[in-house]
Amino acid sequence: MKRVADLEKRLDEKERAAKRQAAPFAKGEPTPTPKKPGRKAGKKHGQHSHRPPPPPETIDETLEAPLPDACPHCGGDIVEDADVDEQFQIDIPTKPIHRKFRIHKGCCKNCRRRVRGRHPLQTSDAVGAAESQVGPNAQASIVYLNKRSGMSYGKIVDHLKEANGIDIRPSTATRIVLRTADKLQPVYQEIQESIKQSEYITPDETGWRKGGRLVWLHAWVGDQATCYVIDPRRSADALEKVIGLDYSGTLIRDGASSYDRFEEAIHQLCVGHPLRRAHNLEESHVGRAKVFPRQVIDLVQEALQVRDAYRAGQRSQDDLYAAYEEYVDRMLDLTARPRGNEVNDIFAGHLNKYAHAWFSFLLQPALAATNHQAEQALRTPIVNRKVFGGNRTDAGCEAQVITSSTIQTCKQQKRSAFGFLRDTVCGLAQSIFQALTRTSPSTTTAGSQLSPLGKIP
């Protein structure tokens, strides 16, 4: 029996380790009966979307498509119809725009200081040997393609040359990203301050490389911003430096024990992790060992159904308060006694330790019950990691987190990240939180009245 328990424990550890880092390709065989691609038939087909014609004032050119001199089928004469069909097209220019700025200079009559003119499209005041520069749209494209689209500098340079006729070198693209990150420093400070003041934070991390050495890329998703940080440690030390140990909002997190240090916060542990683990254990175990993971699945899913019923207007807030107490007690009762199966016993100990934090979503039903937001925020950097492996220098790491935080925050706020980058390289960018109203789904009656119950005991 001891040998069987040891083998089950080792199997569980290997299965969990295989899921910790995203793999570049699927490891198993293809699904034998995959779903048919394309739209569904019948009522599930859905509506087709059509590109509307542009307003007349936006038409830049009108081109004629004349009839041929003779019928292409038989060579006969063609009688032209009275009406003409119209077709519209939107395209991108392939010829680069070459600009020349005539910078006027003068001297102040009062202080006698020299004054120079500045056009909004200028990206720098440099002249002389550095008078020939790359424009703001091209610079914003380089940053966006590298940090958002996951393209290497070599591929970006090739794309600009082939598609737009702009000939630069990878080193130029690298310097553009570094300079843009330097200009975005105040924005990054705003983002970190927003995270500190956020009503909820969803953290997660993934492996990264700095000069070939293992470091960790942390992602923190708040109610208005997303912040990335590269740190040599996987623990919550990096988050502590930003928000402090006295953070009193809500942490929607995984089961890493390093987050336990935030004792003033409300903790919502991701229920997706134990559900996946329970399903895997139920599949791999035999006999009575299957019972416990199935009980965990049923318990968590019942709690989620209560939350969904409240959202549908079928339950009251009082029902949620009572449900929270009920499911915490049931989790404690389910996981209190030792288990004969060692893997189940380890799982039960983890569930028991955080019994009060699994069901905090019943106290704040507007919040997510999983940390999927942070996991999704890490998808784009993970693609970048697979393309170029990380960063080689400290400056590259700093540029990575600053530009990625800015782009992801713009996406989160439903604003143009490309436009914000373009304004930044021209020195025109303002606060990234301009004209935004702070709202949070966690400012509910349930959160204000019962928040102490959600803290880790």
Side-chain angles (χ1 to χ4, degrees):
M1 291 298 294
K2 182 178 180 181
R3 176 177 173 81
V4 173
D6 182 60
L7 290 174
E8 288 181 343
K9 181 180 179 181
R10 291 167 59 185
L11 175 62
D12 179 63
E13 291 175 350
K14 287 185 177 295
E15 289 180 345
R16 294 178 63 194
K19 294 178 172 60
R20 286 191 182 123
Q21 298 295 330
F25 304 103
K27 296 181 179 180
E29 293 294 326
T31 304
T33 56
K35 293 182 179 180
K36 183 179 179 181
R39 287 178 173 267
K40 306 298 181 183
K43 295 181 179 180
K44 296 182 179 181
H45 181 74
Q47 295 182 347
H48 286 272
S49 60
H50 302 277
R51 185 184 301 278
E57 62 272 13
T58 63
I59 302 297
D60 297 309
E61 61 180 356
T62 300
L63 304 177
E64 300 293 337
L67 287 169
D69 295 333
C71 177
H73 305 290
C74 66
D77 295 335
I78 301 175
V79 179
E80 185 171 358
D81 295 340
D83 62 322
V84 178
D85 290 334
E86 290 184 341
Q87 184 187 79
F88 301 92
Q89 185 183 89
I90 184 171
D91 202 357
I92 57 176
T94 57
K95 182 180 178 181
I97 300 173
H98 294 273
R99 298 189 181 100
K100 177 181 178 180
F101 297 97
R102 299 181 68 248
I103 304 172
H104 296 261
K105 301 176 290 183
C107 181
C108 178
K109 293 181 179 180
N110 185 28
C111 66
R112 309 303 298 173
R113 294 182 180 179
R114 299 290 294 174
V115 180
R116 295 166 56 88
R118 178 70 186 259
H119 192 278
L121 289 177
Q122 282 183 261
T123 60
S124 170
D125 292 327
V127 293
E131 63 183 1
S132 184
Q133 303 170 7
V134 180
N137 285 333
Q139 291 196 34
S141 296
I142 290 171
V143 177
Y144 192 89
L145 290 174
N146 180 248
K147 302 306 180 187
R148 181 67 181 181
S149 302
M151 291 177 62
S152 65
Y153 292 124
K155 290 182 178 180
I156 293 172
V157 167
D158 179 69
H159 171 77
L160 291 178
K161 184 177 181 179
E162 294 293 329
N164 304 107
I166 299 177
D167 190 8
I168 61 174
R169 296 292 179 266
S171 59
T172 303
T174 304
R175 289 193 295 270
I176 286 173
V177 172
L178 294 177
R179 285 197 299 265
T180 304
D182 186 60
K183 294 179 179 180
L184 286 170
Q185 277 281 3
V187 173
Y188 187 63
Q189 296 299 324
E190 279 190 320
I191 291 174
Q192 288 195 328
E193 186 63 27
S194 174
I195 293 295
K196 182 178 180 179
Q197 299 176 1
S198 182
E199 296 288 342
Y200 69 90
I201 300 174
T202 308
D204 201 6
E205 68 284 327
T206 188
W208 199 254
R209 292 283 175 178
K210 181 176 74 174
R213 301 187 304 274
L214 175 63
V215 292
W216 294 92
L217 176 67
H218 297 259
W220 309 321
V221 181
D223 50 17
Q224 287 193 2
T226 298
C227 182
Y228 297 96
V229 167
I230 293 177
D231 192 86
R233 295 171 295 277
R234 188 181 186 181
S235 70
D237 292 350
L239 183 58
E240 179 185 342
K241 293 177 184 178
V242 175
I243 67 174
L245 288 176
D246 58 346
Y247 177 73
S248 58
T250 302
L251 287 178
I252 308 173
R253 39 161 288 208
D254 57 20
S257 59
S258 62
Y259 294 110
D260 296 352
R261 68 185 71 182
F262 300 101
E263 297 180 354
E264 298 299 320
I266 302 170
H267 292 255
Q268 169 60 62
L269 266 67
C270 173
V271 299
H273 287 74
L275 281 175
R276 285 193 295 269
R277 189 175 178 186
H279 280 292
N280 291 335
L281 291 179
E282 185 184 27
E283 182 179 351
S284 60
H285 284 341
V286 295
R288 291 187 57 82
K290 289 177 173 286
V291 176
F292 174 68
R294 169 45 56 183
Q295 291 174 327
V296 173
I297 294 171
D298 293 340
L299 180 62
V300 175
Q301 288 182 342
E302 282 181 25
L304 290 171
Q305 290 172 0
V306 172
R307 191 272 313 270
D308 294 341
Y310 169 81
R311 290 180 174 179
Q314 300 171 359
R315 294 289 188 98
S316 66
Q317 289 186 346
D318 291 338
D319 292 335
L320 291 183
Y321 305 158
Y324 173 82
E325 297 287 355
E326 174 190 348
Y327 286 107
V328 169
D329 291 341
R330 288 174 60 183
M331 179 63 78
L332 289 171
D333 292 340
L334 178 63
T335 58
R337 66 178 181 83
R339 300 282 165 176
N341 182 284
E342 187 174 0
V343 176
N344 282 350
D345 191 58
I346 295 174
F347 187 29
H350 177 68
L351 294 172
N352 185 274
K353 178 181 178 181
Y354 298 106
H356 292 80
W358 294 116
F359 306 106
S360 298
F361 62 85
L362 292 173
L363 304 178
Q364 302 183 71
L367 289 180
T370 67
N371 70 335
H372 290 172
Q373 275 192 318
E375 292 179 343
Q376 291 167 356
L378 286 172
R379 288 181 180 178
T380 297
I382 286 174
V383 172
N384 292 358
R385 182 185 65 198
K386 294 182 184 301
V387 173
F388 49 78
N391 304 106
R392 295 183 179 181
T393 63
D394 291 337
C397 287
E398 186 177 13
Q400 176 72 39
V401 297
I402 291 175
T403 53
S404 297
S405 298
T406 302
I407 293 173
Q408 188 66 24
T409 298
C410 287
K411 295 292 183 182
Q412 187 174 345
Q413 297 175 4
K414 303 295 190 296
R415 64 189 300 173
S416 172
F418 180 87
F420 191 85
L421 292 173
R422 181 189 58 213
D423 292 344
T424 297
V425 299
C426 292
L428 302 176
Q430 300 178 7
S431 169
I432 198 168
F433 302 109
Q434 184 182 16
L436 290 177
T437 303
R438 290 191 64 85
T439 57
S440 172
S442 65
T443 54
T444 61
T445 305
S448 60
Q449 291 183 353
L450 296 178
S451 57
L453 295 177
K455 295 180 180 179
I456 293 180

